[in-house]
Amino acid sequence: MSLELTDITLTYADGDTRLTALDRVTLQVPKGSLTAVVGPSGSGKSSLLAVAATLITPDAGTVTVDGTATAGLSRGELAELRRHRIGIVFQQPNLLPSLTAAEQLQVMARMGGRGAGRSRARVLELLDAVGLVDQAHRRPHQLSGGQRQRVNIARALMNDPTVLLVDEPTSALDHERGAAVVELIARLTRERATATVLVTHDRAHLTAADRVAEVHDGRLPRPAPTG
Ligand code: ADP
Ligand code: MG
């Protein structure tokens, strides 16, 4: 299993008490598969992704990424794990305004410790995979919303992550472009064998998923026992 969340509870400070954002959530995502997470606003979807991304440490429960248990790792070790094993795509493509599409990816390669020559080939390969190789020289303001989100996805894949975490990538797109982005994520999940979690509010996108996890008030139904 490439991503395993086991019995995760996460609370936030809420005045004098604590708000329970995730309540004993267990989720397992195999390599090369896409799990869609749906649920009402405020149900805990982004919190779930943030815990999976090791950006927030839960109150209880364990996160295992590509066989590595994250409990007890230092901040530096977690940052290293994220750089090499986890690709993250947030709702808004937070691209750097002054950089071209190719340079957005180069920055990630540098953080991942790749040499410039090897990374140039990989940048072009990934921009090609998301259908943007002919836009490599364009800056964010010269790209459409859908194209920017594709650059964002290519960037997340730059260091060949095992786990790909995507939070509502289509919220700024119309339905058709949103569907194309979700299909792209599904295809890349198979081609690159990532364990992908996709948060979406659009049920039309669920057909692209191998599994659907419904969050309500921070809870996920337990997976049905097998065998
Ligand atoms: P979703 O992504 O499904 O809309 P979130 O994970 O963002 O849900 O939020 C789950 C709950 O946790 C909500 O009640 C939200 O208000 C609360 N919450 C989220 N982030 C924080 C935070 N940083 N501090 C306090 N409460 C938070
Ligand atoms: Mg959210």
Side-chain angles (χ1 to χ4, degrees), residues 40-47 91 167-168 199:
S41 176
S43 59
K45 304 182 298 296
S46 294
S47 297
Q91 201 158 340
D167 198 354
E168 307 211 29
V199 170

Side-chain angles (χ1 to χ4, degrees), residues 12-206:
Y12 295 111
D14 181 26
D16 289 341
T17 61
R18 316 254 339 151
L19 182 152
T20 302
L22 296 173
D23 189 2
R24 288 161 292 161
V25 165
T26 290
L27 182 70
Q28 301 188 331
V29 187
K31 206 171 156 64
S33 76
L34 176 62
T35 296
V37 174
V38 288
S41 176
S43 59
K45 304 182 298 296
S46 294
S47 297
L48 181 66
L49 277 200
V51 168
T54 77
L55 293 168
I56 303 182
T57 305
D59 300 51
T62 61
V63 179
T64 304
V65 175
D66 203 7
T68 301
T70 63
L73 294 186
S74 67
R75 288 164 73 93
E77 286 165 336
L78 286 177
E80 184 76 4
L81 180 83
R82 281 195 295 276
R83 260 197 302 280
H84 294 283
R85 315 262 187 97
I86 304 177
I88 305 174
V89 177
F90 289 114
Q91 201 158 340
Q92 294 299 331
N94 48 339
L95 301 173
L96 300 163
S98 62
L99 300 187
T100 66
E103 287 164 350
Q104 313 279 347
L105 275 62
Q106 292 281 5
V107 170
M108 285 304 280
R110 216 153 296 155
M111 291 188 352
R114 263 172 209 269
R118 263 174 71 212
S119 74
R120 190 157 311 122
R122 177 142 181 95
V123 165
L124 292 177
E125 185 232 331
L126 277 170
L127 286 176
D128 191 35
V130 300
L132 284 181
V133 77
D134 54 344
Q135 313 287 322
H137 60 287
R138 291 193 190 270
R139 295 178 209 284
H141 73 273
Q142 299 169 308
L143 297 168
S144 70
Q147 288 174 328
R148 284 199 287 273
Q149 200 51 287
R150 282 164 189 270
V151 172
N152 206 16
I153 292 163
R155 181 176 62 175
L157 292 169
M158 193 60 201
N159 293 328
D160 212 6
T162 314
V163 172
L164 181 62
L165 303 171
V166 190
D167 198 354
E168 307 211 29
T170 65
S171 53
L173 305 178
D174 62 37
H175 181 76
E176 202 175 317
R177 289 199 177 88
V181 163
V182 169
E183 274 158 34
L184 174 68
I185 290 165
R187 173 165 66 75
L188 292 169
T189 295
R190 270 147 219 135
E191 286 175 6
R192 316 237 154 209
T194 53
T196 304
V197 181
L198 167 72
V199 170
T200 178
H201 58 268
D202 191 341
R203 296 198 155 259
H205 296 150
L206 299 185

